[in-house]
Amino acid sequence: MAVPTSTSTKNSKLKTANLGFPRMGRERELKFALEGYWSGKSSADDLLSVAKTLRAEHWRLQKTAGIDFIPSNDFSSYDQVLDTLVMVGATPERFGTGPVTLDRYFAMARNSREQTAMEMTKWFDTNYHYLVPEWSAGIPFKVDTAKLLGELREARALGIETRPVLIGPLTLLLLGKGVDGFDPLALLPNVIAAYEDVLAQLHAEKVEWVQIDEPILATDLREGAADAFRTAYAALTKTPIRLMLTTYFDAIGDNLSLAVELGTAGIHIDAVRAPEQLTSVAAALKPTQLLSVGVVEGRNIWLTDFSYASSLLSAAVAALGEDRVIVAPSSSLLHVPHDLRSETKLPARLRGWLRFAEEKLAEIAALGSADADAATANAAAIADRAAAETTVNPAVRLQLGLLNSSDFARASVYADRTPIQRAELGLPLFPTTTIGSFPQTAEVRKHRAAHKHGHETTEVYEAFLRTSIEDCIRQQESIGLDVLVHGEFERNDMVEYFAEFLDGFAFTENGWVQSYGSRCVKPPVIYGDVARPKSMTVKWTEYARSLTSRPMKGMLTGPITILQWSFVRNDIPRKATAWQIGLALRDEVRDLEAAGIRVIQVDEPALREGLPLRRANWDVYLDWAVKAFKLATSSVGNGTQIHTHMCYCEFDDILPAIAALDADVISMETARSQMELLEAFRAHGYPNEIGPGVYDIHSPRVPDTAEMKKLLDLALQVLKPEQIWVNPDCGLKTRGWPETVEALTNMCQAASQLRASSAA
Ligand code: GLN
Ligand code: ZN
């Protein structure tokens, strides 16, 4: 990170802003209110009143903290993109027309027996999921500002003036999908008219400032987008309302002159992800434009380095003057937990380095007022963290330093490994397997919870696990699967289970972050060097292996997935942490192999979501990400077969990286896309083995043998027979046993039909 040349400018008092606050509440009140309403246990009024109380509390917190620009309309009962669609009158017609009622709102957001909800996808490179706008001709665009104005007035009734937040028109359009090839930009005039109407209504309410979020400006813009931006903002800046054009998650980069030219009253930049852009943005601004500098990280939980942040702010002040600089978080605080107060079990020292949403408000205020006491305390905490021996493991550092190219490559190339594996594993053509987990029944979850909370002894719990594993193996044998798994009954999720064994990880009690709707996740915190003091999966895998003569597959979560689904330390590069996890997994892989496990799957469902927003940065990421995987998997002998699994099918653009993983077998999701992605594998000449998922595990529907056989026939058109494995799309943990047995039986039948027909 480039530190701007420091100046002697002293910030006396800068204005402060927040860009958005977590909605769930300190105790996840919103989650429980939503779920109570959905299940019919409480009324709509109950839900609305919880939501109102939370908003009031959160505004007061921000006011008390001393934030000048406090957001409104950042709250949502489900998702802010869906709220924006309601606001501009662009919700999908298949859910009904006319004003959107609470129940219609939730029908669009949530699957029900009657109807499939709107599609959901990740909000840029965060783990927050938004509902994807559906664009087509004939959308009414009937503006509804009830929520927007309602929140504004609610805050005013509390004596708090807010800066309403809107998702900008271009981000809204471009994050949506055109139905049947429809070009979303064709709707630009309608969307502009809707936003003009909205801004006029805000102006009538005497609103002075609006935060207009256009994070799409931090990405590579598609063709036509820049002109669309110009057209839109030429219209929107005619309003007397002052617009803070808000970008985050990466640098504005080559969109800088465009962003400035739009002529908004101010621009917000993410100075945590991209501090180097500060100087060029400050220099490019028009004389009246303000600069909001995001120096407090909105999406991670570490304390801000005040001395570094102040140097950025000083540089901005030197360029623009105090009146034109605002201190802000890098992005909305939506992506961090509510507050640290409820964390009583974290090591005190680590706690001193953490800042959740409430504590981040205090940081923003302290930086704005150049609070000397806060700066002194901050410097002490920063120094404490830098000096902490708990974050550095010399043995791990040494190991990392000694790595050479042989640590990242299998002993032989795939073509030489596969005959050995074939001979040793004794598998038929079109081998059948599963992705790892088997149904996590209520009973399984009950035992795990009871054990975790100390209500069940380890002895009883482990006896239960052994029975579950044995039952699962007998089921797989009678279904006729070729490569078996133990079922993953001991695992709560893909990351926490491993993190609990590893050094360098800590766990919060209440560090919840919204993933979508009422769903929250509690990512582990990687605060120090990662190391594996003892084996994590060998006991259960080895036990499973001892019960059957068929090959048993060991199941691990890959380094990138563990990294992506944790809060990652920011005092060493992400790559270093990824490689440390890779080393820890290598130890596990070696132990599994030594225990006689000859098939090992290392899941990497999050490889793609780690991609940087800008394509120019992809290669660097993919290079170290692929190496992290190879570090974990390359030490095994030629006869040991490495599998990997990914839960999606948009592979075309990263196929060379997928091939570079050099896994002997990759399984992935294809059933819903009718094997479309196989074409990409063929075009690339993908050499290793592939298990294209032949049925969708997301639904309880049991496809028949013919349906799966048809998909396999499609696969056979593009792949060589020896390349094909037969498996479901993903793990079976969310399914019930009866449908699982039925579907897998049909799947194995499809495989034997394929064997018969290809022998003929
Ligand atoms: N092995 C994991 C399972 O079967 C993989 C889950 C995933 O890909 N998300 O549950
Ligand atoms: Zn999956």
Side-chain angles (χ1 to χ4, degrees), residues 25-78:
R26 200 187 298 283
E27 309 282 344
R28 282 183 296 157
E29 292 89 335
L30 182 60
K31 173 191 176 69
F32 302 115
L34 284 166
E35 290 171 0
Y37 176 65
W38 293 335
S39 68
K41 287 197 194 99
S42 54
S43 68
D45 281 348
D46 295 335
L47 170 61
L48 297 178
S49 114
V50 169
K52 188 174 174 184
T53 308
L54 286 173
R55 285 191 294 267
E57 210 175 282
H58 300 169
W59 283 321
R60 285 204 190 96
L61 276 173
Q62 297 176 78
K63 183 81 184 169
T64 312
I67 302 296
D68 298 311
F69 292 102
I70 296 172
S72 62
N73 201 40
D74 57 330
F75 182 84
S76 180
S77 299
Y78 202 97

Side-chain angles (χ1 to χ4, degrees), residues 435-437 488 494 555 603 605 645 647 730-731 733:
I435 307 305
S437 59
E488 300 184 21
M494 289 185 71
M555 303 298 314
D603 292 327
H645 166 71
C647 309
C730 194
K733 62 170 161 249

Side-chain angles (χ1 to χ4, degrees), residues 742-760:
E742 233 185 292
L744 291 177
T745 305
N746 293 349
M747 186 187 89
C748 288
Q749 243 160 47
S752 37
Q753 286 178 10
L754 197 66
R755 277 171 215 143
S757 63
S758 74

